[in-house]
Amino acid sequence: MLRLLLPVAGLATLLRAANVSQRTFGIDYGCNCFVKDGRPFRYISGSIHYSRIPRYYWKDRLLKMKMAGLDAIQTYVPWNYHESQMGVYDFSGDRDLEYFLQLADETRLLVILRAGPYICAEWDMGGLPAWLLEKESIVLRSSDTDYLAAVEKWMSVLLPKMKPHLYQNGGPIIMVQVENEYGSYFACDYDYLRFLQKLFRQHLGDEVVLFTTDGASQLYLRCGALQGFYATVDFAPGGNVTAAFLAQRSSEPTGPLVNSEFYTGWLDHWGHRHSVVPTQTIAKTLNEILARGANVNLYMFIGGTNFAYWNGANMPYMPQPTSYDYDAPLSEAGDLTEKYFALREVIGMYNQLPEGIIPPTTSKFAYGKIHLQKVGTVVDFLDRLSPAGPVKSTYPLTFVQIKQYFGFVLYRTKLPKNCTEPTQLSSPLNGVHDRAYVSVDGVLQGILERDKSLMINITGKAGANMDILVENMGRVNYGRYNNDFKGLVSNLTLDQDILVEWDIYPLDIDGAVNHSIHGYRDQPERYVGNPLSYGTPTFYTGRLLIPGGIPDLPQDTYVNFPGWTKGQIWINGFNLGRYWPARGPQLTLYVPRNILVSSVPNNITVLELEHSPCSTQACEIEFVDKPVINATTLYENVPPPLFFRDMWLSYL
């Protein structure tokens, strides 16, 4: 008898190759279903954004999703997260998309990849990189030649990385979404969609299912659907499921029914109530969807956090807060909720739930109050924050014109005349994007804010420095105004006279936090600023020492800001995000344990933009073990109804 002996490694390779050759995923229009490996298949999926969750916790969150009975996850790829600077690509650490896909595969979760280039997602500029705006006339999400060239270059980097992870190639990706809710955009450019179709096919091949997602209305599907893409819809709980799927049938008479965004909660805005969607409403509609044999993706299954400056905004200009909790089945911190177990029960009526233990909610620890010390104002540190010095210009320049895409820019000019009496400083064309902190020779004058405060009165002597620190609070992510320029985007006037001759300082605060600012923390006597200037943007530092003798520390925590107004916080150089308790609804920021250390004190830097409590009460922040993201505020506006985008229609 003849025997063929193969090395073990070689045999394993052959077996893998044989397995890959049998893996298929497609659409059967005859049975109105997906077909996986030759058999009818229906997926129940949940949205998770790797960009909103620390890599440290990816596995925990994915396993909790698997144990809820999900077949698949859905995730966005934010272009600007990987190419913040033109031509500089980052797929490391928290941006390691391929490792995330590998973990999903190991957890036996399929992946629905939403590759963009535009994603919305309540993410800065809908995932498009701000450097696209260096061509001021660019028409985003269209056949604009410069836009297409940038998209083609990006996709030639991203899509080849994704191809080995396609299901038919042995990976977890069963479907790839192209663009996002394009029918809600004014351009309605079919040539653009055809360009994307050709580009995706070129890099991914002809076997992968490419699809689109639009609102469940023929109004949106008219411009969002294209032959060659499978058209799916999104709709909220509590509505008419039959009518929603009939809208999909207007574009896809046969094929699987798919709700690509079934909302488990809703987004928040600063100054509005935290959105809460009743569990029973979601469970009832989910059951209706699944009873029809339809496919569904629960958006979001876990929301996560808009760390640093990554939050987006809607129009009329309303930025989203740091927390992207979304009232999802898993909380911002990955905690199990009543909603999680209720939806798991519904899913268990249609899918066999996995055996095993659901990973528990992670422990939280209240580290208590931490004293902060004032180390200097932004102006005091100007040489360190802007080492290359200012850009000089007759008229103000925008952030992108000086290649500063996030954070803060300081604009300085000299008062052209004596303003001994209060004199009107105004932005007649609503050109402050988005919030400006105005001081004259270090004395706070007031705040200008986009759409809300276009004029203040100032005083000062001729020749005095007027400093205007402008904060980019997040670019518009939905509708026609996502070409959202930041900074002073039009002229300011002083008593009707246009102000000229500006020194414009791009500020690398994130870089300085790790170096020069903390250089003062052990030398309080070195502070050189005005000790009474608590109203101007000011840095504070402190240290958090993780207590010894307690097992399993560090643990997750939340930071609270009693008496503080608005600003940004870093821990060990990690930019946690924006705090704004004066406006709410979010009062605490989530602090994942992976950014904390127990071996040495943890460095804390706070940039308070308005008023700290330090001149009148304890100069402290507090680490607590429970979040507060639903506070009622004095700035409360009447909240729009949940799932209601019609208020934004005029901005599409």
Side-chain angles (χ1 to χ4, degrees), residues 520-546:
Y520 283 108
R521 65 177 180 262
D522 294 321
Q523 307 169 49
E525 70 279 1
R526 282 283 289 115
Y527 170 58
V528 295
N530 175 4
L532 300 178
S533 60
Y534 283 96
T536 55
T538 300
F539 290 102
Y540 300 81
T541 63
R543 286 177 166 179
L544 165 64
L545 185 63
I546 304 295

Side-chain angles (χ1 to χ4, degrees), residues 115 143 155 212 250 368 371 390 472 514:
S143 295
M155 289 300 171
T212 58
S250 70
H371 177 75
N472 166 5
N514 284 315

Side-chain angles (χ1 to χ4, degrees), residues 36-152:
K36 177 173 167 283
D37 301 333
R39 296 182 178 182
F41 178 76
R42 184 262 296 280
Y43 68 74
I44 304 173
S45 169
S47 284
I48 174 174
H49 299 160
Y50 64 93
S51 55
R52 286 183 160 123
I53 297 169
R55 174 186 175 126
Y56 177 86
Y57 274 130
W58 286 348
K59 187 172 183 179
D60 173 81
R61 310 307 194 245
L62 290 169
L63 189 53
K64 287 171 179 170
M65 295 176 77
K66 179 65 179 179
M67 294 305 293
L70 300 180
D71 306 292
I73 61 164
Q74 188 192 79
T75 197
Y76 279 125
V77 181
W79 178 3
N80 55 7
Y81 193 58
H82 297 284
E83 194 186 358
S84 297
Q85 303 283 334
M86 188 191 306
V88 180
Y89 304 102
D90 188 355
F91 289 91
S92 64
D94 288 344
R95 292 167 169 81
D96 192 343
L97 172 55
E98 291 188 88
Y99 178 65
F100 178 77
L101 296 174
Q102 177 187 327
L103 285 178
D105 199 21
E106 291 172 0
T107 314
R108 292 177 289 114
L109 284 163
L110 300 169
V111 174
I112 300 163
L113 190 73
R114 310 179 85 177
Y118 165 82
I119 63 170
C120 185
E122 289 75 63
W123 187 264
D124 184 81
M125 205 164 146
L128 299 176
W131 49 258
L132 289 170
L133 301 178
E134 288 176 13
K135 176 192 174 184
E136 289 187 26
S137 62
I138 196 168
V139 182
L140 302 171
R141 306 175 67 195
S142 79
S143 295
D144 181 294
T145 54
D146 293 286
Y147 177 71
L148 293 187
V151 169
E152 184 168 22

Side-chain angles (χ1 to χ4, degrees), residues 414-431:
K414 294 189 180 299
L415 290 184
K417 61 181 181 180
N418 279 321
C419 300
T420 51
E421 297 296 322
T423 306
Q424 189 175 99
L425 173 71
S426 63
S427 175
L429 299 179
N430 195 16

Side-chain angles (χ1 to χ4, degrees), residues 159-178:
L159 296 181
K161 289 179 178 291
M162 297 299 98
K163 189 171 183 179
H165 299 281
L166 297 179
Y167 184 76
Q168 58 267 31
N169 295 334
I173 299 174
I174 54 172
M175 300 167 64
V176 177
Q177 182 180 310
V178 180

Side-chain angles (χ1 to χ4, degrees), residues 278-355:
T279 296
Q280 58 270 30
T281 304
I282 302 165
K284 180 176 182 294
T285 307
L286 177 62
N287 188 42
E288 290 179 42
I289 292 170
L290 296 178
R292 292 171 184 269
N295 301 264
V296 65
N297 174 71
L298 285 75
Y299 187 101
M300 299 291 297
F301 204 87
I302 176 171
T305 308
N306 295 314
F307 293 116
Y309 311 112
W310 288 115
N311 67 278
N314 286 302
M315 292 290 287
Y317 189 74
M318 298 182 294
Q320 292 119 18
T322 301
S323 173
Y324 195 65
D325 178 86
Y326 213 84
D327 193 32
L330 291 173
S331 77
E332 176 183 8
D335 296 347
L336 303 168
T337 67
E338 175 192 347
K339 187 175 287 186
Y340 174 92
F341 290 104
L343 298 186
R344 184 176 187 265
E345 184 176 342
V346 175
I347 292 168
M349 295 163 58
Y350 299 91
N351 273 4
Q352 183 173 350
L353 296 174
E355 295 181 359

